[in-house]
Amino acid sequence: MNLLVKGQAAPGQTVALAEGALDYVGFSAHRLEAGQVLPVAAGDHELCLVLLSGHADVAGEAPGSGGFAWPGLGERQSVFEDTSPFAVYLPAGSQARVSATSALHLAVCRAPGAAGGELGPRLISPGAMKRSVRGQGSNTRYVCDILPDTAPAHSLLVVEVRTPAGHSSSYPPHKHDRDRLPDESFLEETYYHQVDPPQGFVFQRVYTDERDIDQAMAVENNDLVVVPRGYHPVCVPHGYQSYYLNVMAGPKRVWQFHNDPAHAWMLNAPSATVAK
């Protein structure tokens, strides 16, 4: 399986994970012009709509909750701004319409949902998202938890990360591909990449202990990297900064990772950190 899905910058669907590529995670990204409308149907999945940049109205219906409408969403013009996005959580069975009121960059994140109306649709405002700085030195990155495992959902987890030029991220290498809690959880994952300036690239490697998966990729703007299992570090060259949106899901909605033992010595170094 080729783990790199190439994207495009043109308006419309910029990139999408093929149906059935992963068991738990689904993803697509879209660029809409002002006045365009994107219909969204959750089906048996739950969704998190992330307004990466631009402005939109979101309205629709959800089982057990009736209609909903959130007009005037959007604040930032670029994913590289130091501010959190607006997002909308939609339970299984929902129908929605995303109406762009300016140029809009939208991510549609999917994972298996639960029928029965236990969770209703909700707006996730920027002020509700935890922001943090992880790492030190050339391992520093800036994290925004959009839909963490502490927030209500059935199986979906969503987080975004900005990494400065010349830095590493998701480093030291870690994985979450075994259902052996409390030490590790099984979560599939996708990385949706943006690069500034957009002609740049970053490097990402996905590998397992057994090396039955071992792919190193030059990842460009709008590309999607698929992580069915294994370690998945990112390195950003000098002169460019990196953004990625992570979508994770698995049989249990717990994010518990395991660091690569070969690089565990870094955890005792002053600049060490773990996770995304």
Side-chain angles (χ1 to χ4, degrees):
M1 176 184 181
N2 184 1
L3 302 182
L4 178 62
V5 183
K6 298 297 295 180
Q8 62 176 6
Q13 182 172 276
T14 61
V15 74
L17 183 65
E19 188 76 23
L22 293 176
D23 292 330
Y24 294 94
V25 172
F27 181 83
S28 62
H30 309 261
R31 292 186 184 271
L32 281 66
E33 298 176 346
Q36 289 187 310
V37 176
L38 179 71
V40 178
D44 58 359
H45 291 83
E46 60 182 359
L47 307 181
C48 184
L49 311 180
V50 182
L51 278 67
L52 299 173
S53 63
H55 302 79
D57 301 333
V58 179
E61 305 81 32
S65 301
F68 56 84
W70 293 292
L73 302 184
E75 191 171 87
R76 66 188 187 186
Q77 299 303 310
S78 167
V79 296
F80 293 99
E81 293 180 13
D82 188 22
T83 186
S84 303
F86 279 84
V88 171
Y89 172 82
L90 298 177
S94 300
Q95 303 275 344
R97 299 171 297 281
V98 181
S99 304
T101 56
S102 74
L104 177 68
H105 191 186
L106 177 76
V108 180
C109 314
R110 296 179 178 266
E118 296 178 4
L119 297 173
R122 70 181 188 273
L123 173 65
I124 309 173
S125 63
M129 299 175 188
K130 179 184 176 182
R131 299 173 62 81
S132 59
V133 180
R134 294 183 186 160
Q136 300 177 29
S138 62
N139 203 33
T140 302
R141 59 271 200 194
Y142 304 93
V143 180
C144 174
D145 292 316
I146 298 170
L147 187 62
D149 58 9
T150 53
H154 179 66
S155 57
L156 189 59
L157 300 162
V158 183
V159 62
E160 65 176 16
V161 179
R162 290 185 298 116
T163 307
H167 286 217
S168 56
S169 199
S170 291
Y171 198 79
H174 72 275
K175 69 181 183 73
H176 34 74
D177 59 14
R178 294 186 182 180
D179 187 7
R180 54 176 188 181
L181 290 170
D183 298 318
E184 185 178 355
S185 56
F186 175 77
L187 295 170
E188 299 173 335
E189 186 168 18
T190 57
Y191 277 64
Y192 178 54
H193 286 270
Q194 298 289 288
V195 184
D196 181 40
Q199 71 270 24
F201 57 87
V202 302
F203 297 103
Q204 185 161 21
R205 183 186 181 195
V206 180
Y207 67 98
T208 61
D209 291 314
E210 299 80 13
R211 301 302 193 266
D212 58 326
I213 295 177
D214 193 355
Q215 296 186 31
M217 294 156 275
V219 183
E220 297 178 301
N221 201 43
N222 298 309
D223 287 352
L224 186 72
V225 172
V226 184
V227 185
R229 53 193 174 90
Y231 307 98
H232 39 273
V234 175
C235 293
V236 185
H238 174 76
Y240 294 89
Q241 58 177 326
S242 155
Y243 167 95
Y244 52 78
L245 182 73
N246 286 130
V247 181
M248 294 179 283
K252 297 175 184 175
R253 193 171 179 264
V254 179
W255 181 51
Q256 184 63 46
F257 56 86
H258 170 75
N259 293 298
D260 186 343
H263 306 291
W265 63 269
M266 289 186 224
L267 300 177
N268 297 319
S271 61
T273 190
V274 294
K276 288 288 158 244

